Amino acid sequence: MTTATDSLPVTDNPFTLSHLDALEAESVHIFREVAGEFERPVILFSGGKDSIVMLHLALKAFWPAPVPFTLLHVDTGHNFPEVIEYRDRTVAQHNLRLHVAHVQDFIDDGRLRERPDGTRNPLQTVPLLDAIESNKFDAVFGGGRRDEEKARAKERVFSLRDEFGAWDPRRQRPELWSLYNGKHAVGEHVRVFPLSNWTELDVWQYIEREGIELPEIYYAHHRDVFKRDGMWLTAGEWGGPKETETVENRLIRYRTVGDMSCTGAVDSDAATIADVITEIAASRLTERGATRADDKMSEAAMEDRKREGYF
Amino acid sequence: MSVTIETSATSLLRFATAGSVDDGKSTLVGRLLHDSKSVLTDQLEAVEHASRKRGQETPDLALLTDGLRAEREQGITIDVAYRYFATARRRFILADTPGHVQYTRNMVTGASTAELAVVLVDARNGVVEQTRRHAAVAALLRVPHVVLAVNKMDLVEYAEPVFAAIAKEFTAYAASLGVTDVVAVPISALAGDNVVEPSAHMDWYGGPTLLEHLETVPVGSDPSEQPARFPVQYVIRPQSGGPDMEKWRDYRGYAGQLASGVLRVGDAVTVLPSGHTTTVAGIDALGVETDIAWAPQSVTVRLAEDIDISRGDLISAGATPVPTKDVEATVCHLSDRPLHVGAKVLLKHTTRTVRALVKEISYRIDIDTLEQRSAPEGLAVNEIGHVVLRTAEPLALDSYTDNRRTGSFLLIDPADGTTLTAGMAGEAFDTVRTDADGEDWV
């Protein structure tokens, strides 16, 4: 009988890769597969940390050539100014092309209607699908990670979407080895998630290792916020605070960046990347649980939105 | 207990679990996640809330992993999900493969990227048909390490002879399949014995807990023992645009991920399928020039001579495969549409996709008995068999036994892009027997 004591100790194999190197190598492989197999790929870029890490990986994957993809931002109109500033600076710095799809345009011409709660995050799907269709994008990179949410834990790296952009969890292609199948019919497209196997902590450790700059709202700063549904929200033109809600100046930071109306801040004095890593490692709340109101709408909120074409 | 999450760089282990629901797989996965601090308060609250809504008094931890509406409604797991957890020593990616009817396909998927498979056995039942099937799939996919977790030891009074008999039977069976690295751990996932914490009930067991073993099992093979294989993914030529185009005017690099082995500047290489030979002039590791790269790094290779190379070619050093249009392989069929002789398909091998014809389905393997059976109806979903294919262009295939990356391929339906079949070049097991070999196998 073989018992565990027979197993070899960890050797000083000089060829061992750290987990960040292994994840990086896998993500770069995914970017290059898409560049090799698709006609019109696009990277969804919001100025959030996941999309920033995605872009950083794409820059490394094609060095010294420029990134062979354009960027797409679905703009809810409820943005943090620091993030938009970061977005535009980054696009200019790397000589990239950016498409912006404005939710406001769709509200103005009646294709979308404002929700009573003022949240625009769920409204992003329609402009996203419209941008994909009108630009004929055939591969759309998203920064989604499987650790974020249990519906995302089932998501493939290459996720086929039909002509309505819909995700059908029961009809997903099995994905084996590192052989990604990007075949699709005209009108269909493939969502690609190069950060599938990364966790929030990996993303931050990588940001630290690579010295990646982020929008300042990821680090502790004083800000006027008010409490709604247990989360600190930033006051803004989108409809907060209401008369019953009081504004306080607090030391906070953001763990995720999205639509201002549903992205909550956390109390934090983490002012550096190292502080943030320490804070996340000790946190008892998931990233989305701490900061995303829209995921709390129902038990299957994410799955339902993904079925409609959301990321 | 609490596990501190290490924030510095650690190694990464990809592993898969196999076991039917009754073996306690969900409980085991739940405990690994929970005890490694990977289940956080808000997730637990969501599970408690959902459990109460269903009228359950205690939180149903299966809800942590069953993420989809249909899964929760039907109480089943639909397909492979990936879970993430970390300890101070290592990061883990767990392919959680459900054990119901669509079982073989899911386990093959999970095992394809796994370096270790945990096969769960109920101590009261011992090695059963399902167990042999798990071992066979792990062997088929060449998962380097197998752990036999003998669960529910609390229900057999933590008796050593029960464990020893099961471990002995399983290890012998696995050895007959060619699996040499088997580690057996007696556990109770429910009570927590030997999963993360050593058991107070099994003094007779001297080995590590399951987690301890997962943390210390050697990751990856030694790349210096394998010949270098570098499938070209993409040709990088900055002169076609970009701000620094003057500086990089003469740059021509072949981007890819080393599938195996080590490449050094100066190495003699052969480009397949053309057969041209040259040497490595330079290696760029994602923006940094280096003189050595190894699997599974993603790098860009520059060659001494300007040879015509494009996506789908293989840069090879050391023993070089002979490109062939005749492919013999063991396959697992993944699609509800059966695979028939005469089918015209696409074959994706590394970065190369070619047209292929299914010339012969030599036999189907009964995964429970490892017997070869005839397959006049073709291969149905979840079936494993041996096929002969003819490809339109030559492929530089290795045997899957030698190389999991350059020995594997997919068959794809050219009509709609459906992934039909997972293929492994070469024979499945040395021990596959024909019907005539006798009945008392195992």
Side-chain angles (χ1 to χ4, degrees):
Chain A
M1 184 189 99
T2 313
T3 65
T5 44
D6 294 339
S7 70
L8 297 167
V10 181
T11 57
D12 294 322
N13 180 353
F15 299 112
T16 303
L17 289 189
S18 76
H19 81 278
L20 288 181
D21 285 330
L23 292 172
E24 180 186 60
E26 180 182 73
S27 299
V28 165
H29 175 256
I30 293 163
F31 277 112
R32 290 164 167 180
E33 280 298 283
V34 171
E37 297 227 320
F38 290 82
E39 296 293 324
R40 292 179 65 83
V42 68
I43 298 179
L44 268 217
F45 188 79
S46 64
K49 65 179 187 313
D50 298 312
S51 58
I52 290 169
V53 166
M54 260 207 303
L55 180 60
H56 182 86
L57 287 161
L59 285 161
K60 290 184 87 167
F62 300 99
W63 181 94
V67 172
F69 314 124
T70 53
L71 302 185
L72 170 64
H73 181 213
V74 181
D75 183 346
T76 63
H78 295 160
N79 300 297
F80 295 94
E82 300 93 325
V83 176
I84 295 298
E85 187 270 328
Y86 180 97
R87 178 195 77 184
D88 293 339
R89 189 156 42 86
T90 304
V91 166
Q93 185 189 343
H94 300 295
N95 203 19
L96 296 159
R97 248 180 78 206
L98 172 75
H99 294 270
V100 181
H102 294 277
V103 171
Q104 189 64 51
D105 292 348
F106 285 72
I107 293 174
D108 290 347
D109 68 16
R111 280 179 289 174
L112 280 175
R113 198 183 301 172
E114 195 89 76
R115 294 163 52 100
D117 61 5
T119 292
R120 284 186 173 181
N121 212 37
L123 302 184
Q124 287 182 87
T125 302
V126 172
L128 169 66
L129 295 178
D130 178 77
I132 291 170
E133 197 182 324
S134 57
N135 291 286
K136 296 191 165 52
F137 294 131
D138 53 0
V140 186
F141 288 103
R145 308 187 318 262
R146 289 177 183 144
D147 81 317
E148 282 180 86
E149 209 276 337
K150 51 191 190 287
R152 281 200 166 148
K154 300 265 169 178
E155 179 71 89
R156 301 294 188 259
V157 174
F158 273 39
S159 178
L160 182 70
R161 302 297 175 103
D162 66 14
E163 61 268 51
F164 303 103
W167 181 67
D168 183 349
R170 309 199 83 154
R171 297 186 57 84
Q172 298 197 84
R173 291 172 177 166
E175 210 157 64
L176 297 98
W177 298 290
S178 50
L179 292 168
Y180 302 109
N181 176 1
K183 297 284 171 215
H184 62 283
V186 175
E188 295 177 337
H189 70 275
V190 175
R191 301 278 172 94
V192 183
F193 300 97
L195 304 182
S196 284
N197 287 326
W198 297 54
T199 64
E200 183 187 16
L201 196 56
D202 298 328
V203 167
W204 275 102
Q205 287 177 355
Y206 190 71
I207 288 167
E208 180 178 51
R209 187 183 89 171
E210 301 284 309
I212 299 170
E213 188 204 336
L214 294 184
E216 289 150 23
I217 66 171
Y218 279 109
Y219 303 104
H221 58 291
H222 285 279
R223 181 183 281 266
D224 285 341
V225 290
F226 64 93
K227 197 157 220 175
R228 184 180 292 175
D229 298 332
M231 291 192 310
W232 294 113
L233 298 179
T234 295
E237 289 170 10
W238 51 269
K242 294 176 192 156
E243 278 179 22
T244 51
E245 295 164 332
T246 359
V247 172
E248 286 179 48
N249 190 274
R250 298 183 72 88
L251 186 59
I252 54 99
R253 72 172 198 90
Y254 284 88
R255 266 173 92 172
T256 64
V257 165
D259 185 279
M260 260 179 148
S261 62
C262 66
T263 307
V266 293
D267 287 313
S268 169
D269 58 2
T272 64
I273 298 177
D275 294 345
V276 170
I277 290 173
T278 309
E279 183 185 287
I280 293 167
S283 172
R284 298 299 304 160
L285 290 178
T286 61
E287 178 182 330
R288 299 197 81 85
T291 63
R292 286 302 179 95
D294 45 335
D295 288 343
K296 295 180 176 171
M297 289 173 189
S298 90
E299 202 181 321
M302 175 68 88
E303 179 186 349
D304 293 345
R305 274 180 291 144
K306 282 166 71 71
R307 283 174 178 275
E308 289 162 14
Y310 189 80
F311 261 87
Chain B
M1 74 166 268
S2 74
V3 176
T4 320
I5 291 194
E6 182 61 45
T7 53
S8 63
T10 51
S11 59
L12 179 65
L13 176 73
R14 293 167 199 256
F15 74 106
T17 53
S20 57
V21 178
D22 296 339
D23 294 337
K25 188 175 69 66
S26 302
T27 317
L28 177 63
V29 171
R31 184 158 289 281
L32 279 172
L33 294 175
H34 184 268
D35 289 1
S36 62
K37 199 208 156 222
S38 302
V39 181
L40 300 181
T41 311
D42 56 317
Q43 292 172 313
L44 216 52
E45 277 170 5
V47 165
E48 282 163 3
H49 178 75
S51 304
R52 269 198 308 276
K53 253 169 63 181
R54 284 172 177 70
Q56 292 164 311
E57 281 177 22
T58 49
D60 180 359
L61 285 178
L63 293 172
L64 272 176
T65 50
D66 289 344
L68 303 173
R69 254 181 207 290
E71 291 176 323
R72 286 191 299 270
E73 283 159 9
Q74 297 167 40
I76 56 153
T77 317
I78 288 176
D79 78 63
V80 187
Y82 294 87
R83 317 277 166 209
Y84 303 84
F85 65 101
T87 66
R89 292 154 108 171
R90 194 165 265 179
R91 272 266 286 108
F92 300 95
I93 299 177
L94 160 58
D96 187 6
T97 67
H100 71 121
V101 278
Q102 284 181 348
Y103 166 79
T104 305
R105 175 175 98 159
N106 289 333
M107 191 181 163
V108 166
T109 301
S112 72
T113 51
E115 288 190 72
L116 179 146
V118 178
V119 174
L120 217 62
V121 168
D122 185 328
R124 296 169 301 175
N125 305 328
V127 174
V128 294
E129 189 177 296
Q130 187 89 316
T131 318
R132 283 194 289 274
R133 198 182 290 190
H134 296 154
V137 173
L140 180 70
L141 272 291
R142 305 278 164 181
V143 180
H145 309 282
V146 172
V147 173
L148 173 73
V150 181
N151 191 25
K152 305 195 184 181
M153 285 301 292
D154 52 319
L155 300 182
V156 295
E157 276 93 47
Y158 297 106
E160 177 176 21
V162 175
F163 167 74
I166 295 170
K168 189 178 172 198
E169 185 182 351
F170 182 85
T171 305
Y173 182 68
S176 77
L177 297 167
V179 180
T180 50
D181 183 29
V182 177
V183 163
V185 186
I187 65 167
S188 166
L190 194 67
D193 295 284
N194 287 339
V195 179
V196 174
E197 295 283 284
S199 171
H201 301 104
M202 292 178 273
D203 297 341
W204 47 264
Y205 174 71
T209 65
L210 176 62
L211 184 66
E212 222 175 306
H213 179 60
L214 295 175
E215 284 180 317
T216 51
V217 70
V219 173
S221 51
D222 182 353
S224 62
E225 288 173 358
Q226 281 198 305
R229 297 284 184 266
F230 186 77
V232 175
Q233 273 190 289
Y234 192 76
V235 182
I236 294 180
R237 294 170 64 227
Q239 68 263 42
S240 53
D244 300 328
M245 58 181 282
E246 278 309 312
K247 186 176 167 194
W248 304 108
R249 178 167 292 281
D250 297 324
Y251 188 96
R252 185 182 175 89
Y254 304 101
Q257 185 175 24
L258 267 149
S260 66
V262 179
L263 264 190
R264 288 180 176 84
V265 172
D267 278 357
V269 292
T270 306
V271 179
L272 298 170
S274 72
H276 287 122
T277 55
T278 181
T279 54
V280 176
I283 301 172
D284 295 313
L286 309 180
V288 182
E289 204 169 345
T290 176
D291 50 14
I292 184 169
W294 61 90
Q297 288 182 324
S298 279
V299 294
T300 304
V301 171
R302 285 174 280 122
L303 298 178
E305 283 155 87
D306 228 350
I307 311 173
D308 177 24
I309 303 179
S310 55
R311 176 174 167 82
D313 289 346
L314 181 79
I315 295 173
S316 164
T320 288
V322 179
T324 178
K325 290 180 171 183
D326 295 296
V327 179
E328 293 195 30
T330 305
V331 299
C332 175
H333 191 59
L334 310 167
S335 163
D336 291 330
R337 289 171 231 163
L339 186 72
H340 292 296
V341 171
K344 287 179 177 158
V345 295
L346 294 173
L347 186 156
K348 181 163 188 178
H349 169 246
T350 66
T351 54
R352 192 177 191 84
T353 303
V354 300
R355 286 177 296 124
L357 171 72
V358 181
K359 278 181 69 183
E360 186 184 316
I361 296 178
S362 332
Y363 52 84
R364 177 170 71 74
I365 299 169
D366 182 325
I367 200 73
D368 298 322
T369 62
L370 300 188
E371 284 172 345
Q372 298 176 2
R373 303 199 190 283
S374 66
E377 305 294 317
L379 291 177
V381 63
N382 290 311
E383 286 188 337
I384 289 169
H386 188 266
V387 302
V388 179
L389 307 163
R390 173 79 176 175
T391 58
E393 295 164 49
L395 294 177
L397 280 159
D398 282 300
S399 153
Y400 187 79
T401 312
D402 298 331
N403 197 315
R404 289 171 86 188
R405 261 184 112 140
T406 52
S408 55
F409 60 83
L410 299 179
L411 299 184
I412 295 168
D413 188 331
D416 63 1
T418 301
T419 300
L420 297 171
T421 309
M424 290 151 280
E427 296 287 338
F429 309 100
D430 301 336
T431 46
V432 169
R433 347 177 89 205
T434 57
D435 287 340
D437 284 352
E439 286 82 41
D440 29 334
W441 176 244
V442 179

